[in-house]
Structure formats: structure tokens, C-alpha cells
Amino acid sequence: MHFDWELSGTGWATCSIWDGSTKHRGSVSYCTNALADLLEGVAGLYGLHGTQRFSFDLEPAEERWILRRRSSDVHIAIRRFPDISASFDAPDGKGALVWTSTRPRTLLAHAVLMAVEKVLRIHGEDGYLRKWRLHAFPATELETLRRLHLAADDCALQH
Ligand SMILES: [Zn+2]
């Protein structure tokens, strides 16, 4: 399981996910607090709600991530809608399924943590804000996910 979040230009990030067999990539805009939404969505997999949803604004497309917890695994579905201004309330089934995978929660959380820590290492909080403009680096959300992952997942990978 690999995940990457690269600040590719001012107001844009390239989000990549691949599970060893298929890969998905999207260009995410700063219109939403996308990285915070991602961290909160993954952190939500440690709570009582089995399903988490968040959307990235691809200007104009909506890319909706639907994460469903199934015991120790997470089923990930990424759906694409042509116009986010029209689809925000649309049911999941109306969007085209562009990527799906089922992976252990611990591997998904670990991959997301590593990617966000890399963003912080490369840019720092000040550099992040200069690039993302509308939203500060999600330090609190990162810390929350790190705490949940380390407490609940028994992760054997290096941190
Ligand atoms: Zn880990």
C-alpha cells in the first residue's frame, strides 16, 4: 500500500494511491481543506462509524472517497462526479467508480501518516501555507491520526 501527497504547485496537490496492482492519481485543489479532510476520514475509521466520506475538489470534478471498515480491513472506493457544484449531495452510486481496493486499516493509516509527515518535512508549516494558501497545515489532525494508529494498530513498520 502506497500513498503520496505532493504539493505540485500553488493551490494544487497530486494525490496518488496504489495497492501494488492498480494506481490512482488526482490533482486536488486548495478550494477545500483536503489534507485535513483526508486525515479526519482515516482517523474516523477508529471510531464507531464504519463509513467515512470526504471529497476533493478537482475543479470542476468531485472526487469522493468512501472508506468502509470491515473488521481489520478498509474497503476504499473512489468515485468521480463531473461537477462538484452539482454533485455534493448526489448519492455515491451516481459517481463513476474509478478506483477500489480493500487493505488492512493499519497499512492505509501508516501510508497516509508517512505521506503527510513527508509533506511537513519538505515544506514545513510555513511553506505549506504559502503553497496551499487557504488552509494551514493540518498539524492537529496529523497528531490525532498518529496517536490512534500507534495505540490501536500494533503497527510493526518503522516510524
Ligand atoms: Zn505504522
Side-chain angles (χ1 to χ4, degrees):
M1 176 103 242
H2 295 275
F3 180 86
D4 193 40
W5 189 273
E6 186 191 344
L7 296 183
S8 41
T10 300
W12 291 97
T14 303
C15 172
S16 313
I17 188 166
W18 65 103
D19 61 1
S21 58
T22 59
K23 189 167 187 170
H24 172 75
R25 178 176 291 183
S27 290
V28 179
S29 99
Y30 68 147
C31 287
T32 68
N33 197 358
L35 196 53
D37 294 341
L38 167 78
L39 287 165
E40 281 182 358
V42 177
L45 297 168
Y46 294 81
L48 294 174
H49 286 285
T51 302
Q52 297 292 320
R53 282 183 180 73
F54 50 89
S55 290
F56 297 145
D57 186 347
L58 274 54
E59 294 190 26
E62 174 187 354
E63 186 178 282
R64 187 181 301 174
W65 289 47
I66 303 130
L67 309 179
R68 283 195 173 83
R69 189 162 170 215
R70 290 176 183 161
S71 66
S72 63
D73 286 342
V74 178
H75 178 258
I76 307 157
I78 301 176
R79 289 184 177 271
R80 193 180 171 101
F81 302 77
D83 181 358
I84 195 167
S85 67
S87 59
F88 221 78
D89 292 330
D92 297 341
K94 295 279 187 194
L97 185 64
V98 292
W99 194 82
T100 186
S101 187
T102 300
R103 306 295 294 163
R105 181 185 67 181
T106 182
L107 293 185
L108 173 66
H110 185 89
V112 168
L113 273 179
M114 293 300 107
V116 181
E117 287 174 358
K118 191 174 103 183
V119 169
L120 183 58
R121 219 166 38 240
I122 291 173
H123 299 281
E125 294 199 22
D126 292 346
Y128 181 90
L129 185 57
R130 273 197 298 278
K131 285 222 163 199
W132 204 249
R133 300 270 179 117
L134 298 180
H135 308 276
F137 180 79
T140 307
E141 290 84 353
L142 171 61
E143 194 45 52
T144 299
L145 179 59
R146 184 192 290 130
R147 181 173 50 75
L148 290 167
H149 172 62
L150 290 177
D153 282 337
D154 198 22
C155 181
L157 299 170
Q158 196 182 347
H159 280 260

